[in-house]
Amino acid sequence: MRAEYADAPVSLALYLGAYLVQAAEDMPWAPAGALHRRFIGWTRQPPEVQQRSAATIPAEPDRHERHQAG
């Protein structure tokens, strides 16, 4: 994607931002920072840093944990 949008970095950020919003709605338990790094944060890093960095997003909490939280 970085190469595809090389001449349009703002367009890439907007495109990925839309998916970030959708992911945040689908996974409200996921830390916002992890989602940001996964969807948008990598676009501002040099390619060699991007390969070393992996943002992890926790799995969906099971039904018992969700019931206790809500």
Side-chain angles (χ1 to χ4, degrees), residues 20 28-29 31 37 46 61 66-69:
L20 169 63
W29 65 90
R37 281 188 304 278
R66 281 187 291 191
H67 181 68
Q68 287 180 340

Side-chain angles (χ1 to χ4, degrees), residues 8 19 21 28 37 42 62 66-67:
Y19 283 104
V21 171
R37 281 188 304 278
W42 66 269
D62 65 24
R66 281 187 291 191
H67 181 68

Side-chain angles (χ1 to χ4, degrees), residues 16-17 19-20 23 27 34-43 57:
L16 294 173
Y19 283 104
L20 169 63
M27 301 184 303
L35 290 173
H36 180 271
R37 281 188 304 278
R38 174 162 289 185
F39 284 89
I40 297 175
W42 66 269
T43 62
I57 298 175

